[in-house]
Amino acid sequence: MAVLWKLVVFGVAATALMNVSYGSDFIELSEYHRMPPLATFDDYDLCMEDVPDGQIATYCVTRVVIKPDNGSELWHLIKDFSKDWKRHHNHALLDRGICMARCKQLVQRLPNATKQALRVDKFDIDFPYIVDVTVFKNTLNDQKRYGDLIDVCVNYELNRTYQLRGYTEIEICDRNDEQFEMGIILSVLVPK
């Protein structure tokens, strides 16, 4: 009897792990994993240290808002799943860490028509998606310098893997030729 009870408990636990709550229903874990990961980051250390002497490495953290696409079944899954904001993260809002050297290499290989097709202009976004970037040194300049490049890189991956595109906006960039200002980040993230 004890063995049977353990099998029942194990079966219930395994079933719970295989499902993710979805409104009043549950979805299979395989359905959940059809959505893009909430966060994906290039290797920061490799990006910042694996550069020839004299070259400046740059690493940027960006927010991505998935562009609504009513013709996409995956977009509908993201939208419907994210509606239950009390239990679920907003899967239309993604974080990406981008090594600019890798990004530049990717974009250089793409035809101009592809680059243009991957660009997404800002659209109406009905939820908060980014912190006040003016608290970070140089972010407005970094957005001008790297914004289009990051937009193409992120959308290349989103489109290739998920047939989705998104609006991107840089939160902060770090370069290997300057000190990273951790105090500023902590003052924004940790309330007094």
Side-chain angles (χ1 to χ4, degrees), residues 5-174:
W5 177 247
K6 288 178 183 176
L7 286 173
V8 169
V9 170
F10 177 75
V12 169
T15 302
L17 290 173
M18 297 302 292
N19 294 301
V20 177
S21 66
Y22 179 47
S24 61
D25 301 320
F26 286 89
I27 64 171
E28 294 295 322
L29 201 52
S30 60
E31 275 294 287
Y32 177 83
H33 286 295
R34 287 182 51 221
M35 295 185 282
L38 291 171
T40 304
F41 293 86
D42 291 342
D43 186 310
Y44 176 85
D45 294 325
L46 186 61
C47 177
M48 299 302 274
E49 295 172 5
D50 191 26
V51 292
D53 286 341
Q55 285 193 358
I56 298 172
T58 305
Y59 189 96
C60 297
V61 176
T62 188
R63 300 305 298 261
V64 182
V65 180
I66 301 293
K67 185 175 182 177
D69 179 359
N70 289 323
S72 167
E73 178 189 337
L74 182 54
W75 164 248
H76 287 285
L77 173 64
I78 292 168
K79 181 177 76 169
D80 293 342
F81 186 81
S82 299
K83 270 193 251 185
D84 188 358
W85 56 269
K86 289 184 179 181
R87 292 191 295 172
H88 302 150
H89 289 287
N90 183 351
H91 282 260
L93 178 60
L94 312 175
D95 290 305
R96 296 295 184 258
I98 307 293
C99 179
M100 294 312 301
R102 181 194 64 79
C103 183
K104 287 176 188 176
Q105 289 174 352
L106 169 68
V107 172
Q108 287 173 346
R109 296 190 322 248
L110 299 174
N112 285 335
T114 302
K115 293 176 199 175
Q116 287 303 320
L118 292 172
R119 294 272 300 116
V120 174
D121 291 327
K122 190 171 185 179
F123 53 87
D124 289 334
I125 300 169
D126 62 356
F127 55 84
Y129 66 95
I130 197 162
V131 298
D132 177 8
V133 297
T134 60
V135 299
F136 300 122
K137 179 180 168 186
N138 296 326
T139 298
L140 296 176
N141 290 333
D142 290 334
Q143 286 176 341
K144 290 176 190 169
R145 182 180 305 131
Y146 302 119
D148 290 345
L149 198 59
I150 283 181
D151 197 30
V152 172
C153 284
V154 168
N155 281 307
Y156 177 81
E157 293 298 328
L158 278 175
N159 190 54
R160 182 175 63 90
T161 308
Y162 303 99
Q163 293 73 52
L164 296 169
R165 296 184 315 138
Y167 169 71
T168 62
E169 193 166 326
I170 295 170
E171 279 189 311
I172 189 167
C173 293
D174 187 22

